[in-house]
Amino acid sequence: MCLATPAKIVGFNQDKILIEKDGATMEVSAFLLPKAKIGDWILYVNDLAIKKIDAEEAREILRLVESPRNKVKTELLSGKFKKIIEKAHQNDLNKGEIIYLLNSEGMEKDALLAEADITRRAFIKDFICIHGIIEFSNYCENDCAYCGLRSANGAIERYRMSIDEIKETAKQAAVEKGYKLLVLQSGEDNFYTDDMLVELIKQIKSVCRVFIFMSCGERGFECYKKMKNAGASGALLRFETSSQSLFTKIHPQGKNLENRIEHLRFLKELGYFITTGSLIGLPGQTIEDLADDILLIAPRAHMVSMGPFIPCDNTPMENCPAGDPEMNLKMIAVLRLLMPTARIPVTTALETLLGEDGRKRALAAGANALMMNLTPKKYRSLYKIYPGRFFDNDSLWQKYGLFKYEESYKMLEERMAKEIKRK
Ligand code: SAH
């Protein structure tokens, strides 16, 4: 579903409603609201007015999304910075230029984030999508050094949801709450055979109209092919870090970066909507590595998923410092400039470090989607990839994720098809 935007009616033009938006007048279709009058507050998505609301509700929604925007004095920005921003808009940044942007501080950092915000608005308007994630198993056969789900961690209680339970959770999210895109995530857990995952996807697709994104690790070409044929639309698979040496250090023997990249290659060939990205702030990771991450993401991803590393107890990296959320914001901004129409969700790890404010700040730095946790409450705290995970307890966002109708599904379908075609 999408977050609808409030606006006040300032006039009419035949069958259109005129609203005020950022100091200018804009037209939206009035066919759902034939009785609206001047001075009423409405919610609209794209160019469709969908609902009348009262002024207090409008203020609540505006408060949710508004973020303090620092005024940027463009005359104080260096010539070099301005040139790099111009090149970013041409999708033509080299590694050195990306590093320059990632190193920006103060005025130039504010300008980078503001430029990404403007780019998001110019290309996709105030279109914030709300997606859901269901974490269906915390069993994992891997031993990634950063992750609390690693098989060597005997300190967490393990759970697996049954196919029926996952289906019911998905159905409830789609039918009752209006979610249109669900990510199904787990550790690498071969308890679920290819046939079980295929069955799961088919069953969900038979009871609700929802896009399914699979995030269950390196299952190989055949499995992803079967899941695609069963109705999966997307895959979420981070490459974690583009640095070969760092990848080797934090992953157990037998796991390699090439296989992750190979997965991304064939997922694209199979027609998946690709979501990928990296961990930010891994010990020993350099700014050059982060620039390489961006260069790996930009040409491959339709949707970006990256978040700060957060140390997790009972892992070999439990005493390492957490990644810098400010760097995460700058990474989002650079990617928004390079990928103006891509889907960039605010990740839970970033919200964990920055709290509710993180969501607003990430949206103001170029992000355009939110990921709500839909894992049944009894399992949530057990999916402990890292501690203290942020959960959205107040449901204001879900309450105002109002655009739940069939048009929302169709819009998403169109947008995803366009992105896939673009790359
Ligand atoms: N098994 C799936 C899903 C892994 S968990 C897969 O292999 O793709 C989802 C993501 O959580 C990982 O890709 C990793 O980037 C992130 N993650 C794991 N441990 C983390 C930590 N300590 N801090 C921040 N993110 C972490």
Side-chain angles (χ1 to χ4, degrees):
M1 61 191 160
C2 311
L3 194 76
T5 314
K8 200 173 181 172
I9 300 182
V10 293
F12 291 90
N13 182 10
Q14 292 172 354
D15 58 346
K16 298 274 188 195
I17 289 176
L18 298 177
I19 55 173
E20 210 179 316
K21 177 80 189 116
D22 297 333
T25 310
M26 183 180 139
E27 279 187 356
V28 291
S29 164
F31 86 94
L32 289 176
L33 302 176
K35 290 190 185 137
K37 29 182 216 311
I38 291 180
D40 284 348
W41 281 89
I42 56 149
L43 286 172
Y44 73 95
V45 167
N46 257 9
D47 50 7
L48 177 68
I50 54 169
K51 190 180 180 219
K52 239 166 80 169
I53 51 170
D54 61 40
E56 182 46 38
E57 257 188 312
R59 263 192 291 277
E60 261 184 18
I61 305 177
L62 288 171
R63 261 199 303 272
L64 270 185
V65 283
E66 82 189 3
S67 156
R69 291 188 162 81
N70 292 332
K71 280 246 171 315
V72 177
K73 292 200 178 96
T74 39
E75 65 278 12
L76 296 181
L77 300 170
S78 70
K80 181 167 183 186
F81 176 83
K82 287 188 203 164
K83 199 151 183 213
I84 293 178
I85 293 289
E86 243 172 64
K87 281 190 75 192
H89 284 303
Q90 316 297 321
N91 198 348
D92 176 32
L93 285 189
N94 62 36
K95 190 168 163 184
E97 290 158 344
I98 293 174
I99 292 173
Y100 184 96
L101 293 179
L102 294 182
N103 273 326
S104 62
E105 288 300 337
M107 184 68 88
E108 288 195 340
K109 176 185 162 201
D110 289 347
L112 168 65
L113 305 191
E115 193 65 27
D117 189 28
I118 293 166
T119 306
R120 167 172 76 84
R121 285 159 192 268
F123 280 83
I124 36 191
K125 306 189 182 154
D126 282 327
F127 202 77
I128 297 169
C129 288
I130 303 180
H131 307 318
I133 181 162
I134 301 170
E135 297 145 341
F136 63 92
S137 161
N138 70 351
Y139 279 86
C140 190
E141 286 156 28
N142 282 324
D143 246 331
C144 308
Y146 45 87
C147 184
L149 304 191
R150 68 200 306 268
S151 59
N153 184 2
I156 60 166
E157 188 188 324
R158 305 279 173 172
Y159 73 91
R160 280 188 184 112
M161 287 170 70
S162 69
I163 299 296
D164 217 39
E165 212 178 355
I166 309 168
K167 183 189 81 183
E168 282 308 312
T169 310
K171 184 177 162 197
Q172 200 188 15
V175 176
E176 288 171 28
K177 299 183 183 150
Y179 282 88
K180 303 278 180 264
L181 193 162
L182 297 177
V183 177
L184 304 184
Q185 189 175 86
S186 68
E188 287 198 6
D189 184 4
N190 280 308
F191 165 85
Y192 300 90
T193 60
D194 294 2
D195 288 347
M196 282 165 83
L197 294 177
V198 161
E199 187 55 28
L200 170 65
I201 295 163
K202 281 190 181 158
Q203 285 201 23
I204 296 176
K205 295 293 276 192
S206 74
V207 290
C208 51
R209 238 161 109 72
V210 71
F211 292 101
I212 299 174
F213 279 41
M214 296 306 289
S215 178
C216 45
E218 295 167 42
R219 303 259 332 185
F221 179 82
E222 283 306 320
C223 177
Y224 275 103
K225 188 173 169 192
K226 287 185 216 160
M227 294 197 292
K228 184 79 181 50
N229 290 338
S233 303
L236 190 168
L237 187 82
R238 290 181 177 177
F239 55 84
E240 315 293 4
T241 172
S242 58
S243 155
Q244 187 77 58
S245 56
L246 191 52
F247 190 98
T248 309
K249 238 186 248 167
I250 59 177
H251 290 103
Q253 255 190 340
K255 231 179 147 49
N256 59 65
L257 183 55
E258 289 76 23
N259 198 33
R260 288 248 141 187
I261 310 274
E262 172 58 10
H263 267 71
L264 295 176
R265 190 197 61 73
F266 69 64
L267 287 169
K268 182 178 263 181
E269 187 183 301
L270 288 169
Y272 274 96
F273 194 83
I274 311 275
T275 308
T276 193
S278 58
L279 279 165
I280 299 167
L282 289 162
Q285 191 178 40
T286 62
I287 200 120
E288 284 79 12
D289 294 337
L290 293 174
D292 281 333
D293 290 354
I294 287 179
L295 289 169
L296 199 55
I297 295 168
R300 281 177 182 75
H302 306 115
M303 174 153 134
V304 177
S305 171
M306 56 188 182
F309 158 71
I310 301 175
C312 183
D313 41 309
N314 301 302
T315 66
M317 287 162 67
E318 63 184 341
N319 294 319
C320 298
D324 176 10
E326 298 300 320
M327 180 55 80
N328 197 151
L329 293 175
K330 288 189 268 185
M331 297 269 291
I332 290 175
V334 175
L335 280 163
R336 171 57 68 213
L337 297 181
L338 292 173
M339 309 164 72
T341 56
R343 221 158 261 271
I344 309 185
V346 186
T347 50
T348 314
L350 182 62
E351 293 176 272
T352 300
L353 294 185
L354 292 175
E356 179 81 31
D357 206 34
R359 189 174 281 181
K360 292 185 189 183
R361 291 192 61 208
L363 292 174
N368 66 332
L370 301 173
M371 200 61 93
M372 297 290 178
N373 193 298
L374 302 174
T375 308
K377 280 213 172 73
K378 60 180 168 181
Y379 301 127
R380 253 182 224 184
S381 61
L382 304 178
Y383 198 82
K384 194 178 167 192
I385 43 184
Y386 53 81
R389 280 197 305 151
F390 172 88
F391 295 122
D392 185 13
N393 290 321
D394 88 41
S395 57
L396 271 186
W397 287 93
Q398 298 199 46
K399 182 173 164 200
Y400 293 124
L402 276 167
F403 192 50
K404 298 173 180 171
Y405 313 108
E406 178 60 18
E407 286 86 342
S408 164
Y409 184 92
K410 285 197 192 120
M411 243 148 69
L412 192 53
E413 193 169 38
E414 264 170 36
R415 274 162 200 254
M416 291 205 304
K418 254 194 211 159
E419 280 303 308
I420 287 183
K421 223 168 153 188
R422 195 170 275 137
K423 283 193 183 130

